[in-house]
Amino acid sequence: MALPSSEEIIEDLAFFDDWEQRYQYIIDLGKALPRLQDEQKTPERLVKGCQSSVWLVTSVNEGKLHFDADSDAVIVHGLLALVMAAYNDKTPQQILDFDIDGYFEALDLERHISPTRGNGLRSIVGKIQTLAKQTA
Amino acid sequence: MSFDVQAVRAQFPILSQQVDGKPLIYLDNAATTQKPQAVIDALMSFYTQTNANVHRGAHKLSDEATRRYEKARDQVAAFINANSREEVIWTAGTTEGINLVAHGLAKQLEAGDEVVVTEMEHHANLVTWQQACIQSGATLRVAPIFDNGELDIETFQSYLGPNTRMVAFPHVSNALGTLNPVKDLVAMAKRYDALVLVDGAQGIAHGGVDVQDLGCDFYAFSGHKLFGPTGIGVLWGRRSVLEDWPVWMTGGEMIAEVSYQSASWGALPLRLEAGTPHIAGAIGLGAAVEWFGSLDLAAVQAHEKALIESAMLQARNIEGMRLIGTAPNKVGILSFVMDNAHPADIGFILDRQGVAIRTGDNCAQPLMNRLGINGTARASFSLYNTLDEVDAFFVALRKAQSMLA
């Protein structure tokens, strides 16, 4: 499947009433998010959490930011897909205006993006926001 | 005496809660243990009735706070069979205790001296010595383990010699569960008069520790892994060694006389306890050792053995599950990796089923590298866990496996 938009994801996830379906959906979203090539996983792109690792590749196209991301854990990869859906191919201002915490709250996944989880997601969000600030 | 796990569970208020509508199955005991009502009551009573600073007040509350605080020291001294109460130094936890010793040692080490640790160290018992060696020019020697997580004792022994100044190793490995033969290892080190520090973080809660019997010079542990509060721990040290151990932190409480240009240190234990201590924590830890010590420890050990044996047995029936740490002498810890499932993913899906485990490098990155893995999922058991919970853990694990397939 192609990666849905953040609005579609909120709608899709609201449709499921049990956690298994929700997690299956997140895992499937991860499958829709392209993996990085091994040579793209350089140390400077690595955000090492103490539980799992994520890599972030950034580029700018006609004033819009583009991100490719990967993780060694499939649920984290799925959560990355949620983040990509929110941020990808948006202008820096759109990125800065986006309420990422509200988004994860709407998805009922806020505990996965909290700074207390050592999965690197919070650092990825921080990196994207910093880049948006620098580019804006 | 015997051991009634349900009666013990009933004393831990947190264990009756639900997580996402499912009963909490707490299998992260190597990270921290839960607290019995007796410990919660001790903390509550301190703050509601006797909160005051210790050793310096000119009033009744301070006297009472000091009395309870120093009684806790007696309780700990009795619990570990210290030679005297002055050998019990309050710390923030195991890490601070090891740092206190390592910082003192760094001042005495010189090039040519050797410090011996093992490949199974937690970062707290590795980085401390590594840094002490870097500062002093001494050499750090790392005794190898076998692939099953057991210490290679022959090689360990061959690393010891007249230049060995300090030998440090864990009582129980936090990542593997390996129970080291502490007395034997101490005896080997003592042939060369080396100092010995035992990292007791994981060992202290699994049975009676008798520091005199072990023969080591230092035994460090944390209160929170022994049913006590966080932020309090103990460094036990042999009095003859502690008496002139270099002070690490200076400040109030630890001095004898002070002028603007000089100071002299007070007597043990206060000389190694600068500043206002974690008074409530110490009192809570006193209550914890009192509570734990009142149990039939042989029966507790038998119960915990039944838990880990059941877990090891059931693990054999899970296809693609590989145990990390299969030493014959092992307690409390089931570390594992799965084919086609990252530990973090397993942790996520177990969490959704109310099962709390640890995932990741277990604060032992060099050990993970040595074993050729990035990390593990780790279920760790305590005395209040039940055989039913072990079963439920495997049901949850099979669910994770099928979802991640």
Side-chain angles (χ1 to χ4, degrees):
Chain A
M1 69 182 188
L3 208 54
S5 70
S6 55
E7 294 84 6
E8 285 166 335
I9 292 173
I10 293 175
E11 232 170 83
D12 287 346
L13 272 173
F15 177 76
F16 301 123
D17 44 14
D18 82 32
W19 70 270
E20 275 187 68
Q21 290 173 323
R22 294 168 57 82
Y23 272 57
Q24 203 58 59
Y25 177 81
I26 292 167
I27 291 169
D28 290 342
L29 267 188
K31 287 176 184 160
L33 180 69
R35 293 276 172 183
L36 293 179
Q37 305 294 319
D38 280 346
E39 60 269 20
Q40 292 179 287
K41 296 183 187 173
T42 58
E44 54 278 11
R45 288 166 170 163
L46 172 66
V47 179
K48 204 167 158 39
C50 70
Q51 298 175 37
S52 53
S53 299
V54 292
W55 292 264
L56 181 71
V57 181
T58 60
S59 53
V60 186
N61 270 329
E62 296 172 359
K64 292 182 174 173
L65 301 185
H66 184 80
F67 307 99
D68 294 293
D70 202 347
S71 170
D72 53 353
V74 304
I75 293 174
V76 177
H77 197 68
L79 294 169
L80 282 173
L82 299 174
V83 175
M84 298 297 105
Y87 284 145
N88 237 342
D89 303 317
K90 301 272 165 67
T91 65
Q93 198 52 51
Q94 283 174 315
I95 287 174
L96 293 173
D97 289 343
F98 189 80
D99 175 11
I100 191 80
D101 291 317
Y103 174 54
F104 269 78
E105 227 165 279
L107 298 172
D108 198 18
L109 291 168
E110 66 272 21
R111 76 190 210 223
H112 294 306
I113 192 98
S114 77
T116 60
R117 282 281 170 132
N119 56 29
L121 267 187
R122 171 54 66 179
S123 312
I124 288 286
V125 167
K127 280 194 165 195
I128 290 175
Q129 289 172 337
T130 305
L131 183 69
K133 264 181 219 152
Q134 290 165 349
T135 324
Chain B
M1 282 203 290
S2 65
F3 182 75
D4 176 353
V5 66
Q6 291 304 335
V8 167
R9 283 182 76 78
Q11 298 178 54
F12 287 79
I14 207 170
L15 295 178
S16 58
Q17 75 174 279
Q18 306 229 314
V19 175
D20 296 323
K22 307 201 175 59
L24 167 66
I25 297 180
Y26 185 77
L27 302 180
D28 196 15
N29 294 288
T32 196
T33 55
Q34 300 302 344
K35 320 305 173 198
Q37 192 64 50
V39 170
I40 298 166
D41 288 347
L43 292 172
M44 181 75 97
S45 158
F46 174 74
Y47 281 123
T48 51
Q49 290 164 22
T50 61
N51 176 55
N53 211 327
V54 291
H55 297 146
R56 39 168 80 86
H59 52 86
K60 184 158 187 273
L61 277 189
S62 176
D63 289 346
E64 179 58 16
T66 306
R67 193 188 65 74
R68 291 195 192 188
Y69 171 73
E70 289 299 338
K71 182 183 163 204
R73 198 189 302 271
D74 291 330
Q75 288 169 319
V76 169
F79 177 67
I80 60 175
N81 195 29
N83 302 283
S84 70
R85 65 192 312 282
E86 288 79 14
E87 294 183 337
V88 174
I89 309 297
W90 298 122
T91 62
T94 311
T95 300
E96 190 183 77
I98 299 172
N99 270 276
L100 191 163
V101 179
H103 280 255
L105 189 74
K107 292 178 186 165
Q108 302 169 1
L109 287 175
E110 42 192 68
D113 288 340
E114 295 182 353
V115 174
V116 177
V117 297
T118 73
E119 280 183 342
M120 69 177 88
E121 304 307 332
H122 184 283
H123 295 157
N125 204 33
L126 171 66
V127 182
T128 33
W129 305 113
Q130 171 199 89
Q131 294 301 311
C133 288
I134 289 171
Q135 280 165 32
S136 62
T139 304
L140 184 71
R141 303 200 71 184
V142 184
I145 56 169
F146 296 115
D147 289 343
N148 70 352
E150 201 177 358
L151 182 65
D152 174 352
I153 290 178
E154 221 166 279
T155 308
F156 170 84
Q157 199 164 3
S158 76
Y159 281 15
L160 304 172
N163 297 328
T164 311
R165 297 289 308 280
M166 170 63 77
V167 180
F169 55 84
H171 187 167
V172 171
S173 154
N174 72 302
L176 308 168
T178 308
L179 172 63
N180 282 311
V182 176
K183 273 179 84 166
D184 296 348
L185 301 183
V186 171
M188 290 170 195
K190 285 299 168 191
R191 269 180 230 149
Y192 300 100
D193 288 326
L195 291 169
V196 181
L197 178 140
V198 178
D199 167 2
Q202 299 297 335
I204 193 73
H206 292 285
V209 166
D210 178 334
V211 289
Q212 294 190 52
D213 183 52
L214 292 177
C216 52
D217 300 287
F218 301 101
Y219 190 98
F221 64 93
S222 302
H224 72 96
K225 294 190 203 284
L226 183 63
F227 316 106
T230 49
I232 186 77
V234 168
L235 174 70
W236 171 82
R238 186 179 299 288
R239 187 178 192 138
S240 54
V241 180
L242 275 190
E243 223 142 34
D244 43 29
W245 197 256
V247 300
W248 178 36
M249 293 209 285
T250 53
E253 287 248 1
M254 54 78 68
I255 39 77
E257 294 200 42
V258 181
S259 73
Y260 281 114
Q261 301 300 336
S262 68
S264 59
W265 314 143
L268 285 177
L270 299 186
R271 70 186 290 273
L272 294 171
E273 296 176 345
T276 293
H278 185 4
I279 305 166
I283 291 168
L285 179 52
V289 300
E290 202 67 21
W291 176 84
F292 184 58
S294 73
L295 302 174
D296 177 346
L297 289 185
V300 168
Q301 285 178 344
H303 174 69
E304 288 187 7
K305 191 158 184 273
L307 296 175
I308 189 75
E309 279 178 357
S310 168
M312 301 273 286
L313 201 65
Q314 295 190 57
R316 282 197 216 157
N317 298 326
I318 305 268
E319 208 181 318
M321 181 176 188
R322 181 159 67 92
L323 297 184
I324 305 298
T326 50
N329 285 318
K330 165 180 169 102
V331 290
I333 285 164
L334 189 81
S335 260
F336 60 95
V337 293
M338 311 275 284
D339 294 346
N340 310 320
H342 190 284
D345 291 322
I346 296 166
F348 274 126
I349 297 182
L350 291 188
D351 175 45
R352 279 298 318 179
Q353 300 175 83
V355 180
I357 63 162
R358 164 89 188 250
T359 65
D361 61 25
N362 299 301
C363 295
Q365 287 174 14
L367 172 61
M368 297 296 112
N369 291 335
R370 153 68 183 84
L371 297 168
I373 52 180
N374 289 325
T376 72
R378 181 188 71 181
S380 53
F381 305 98
S382 186
L383 47 82
Y384 42 64
N385 290 123
T386 65
L387 286 165
D388 287 346
E389 286 183 317
V390 176
D391 295 348
F393 161 74
F394 280 98
V395 171
L397 187 62
R398 281 180 194 278
K399 165 81 80 185
Q401 203 177 20
S402 74
M403 285 182 70
L404 295 165

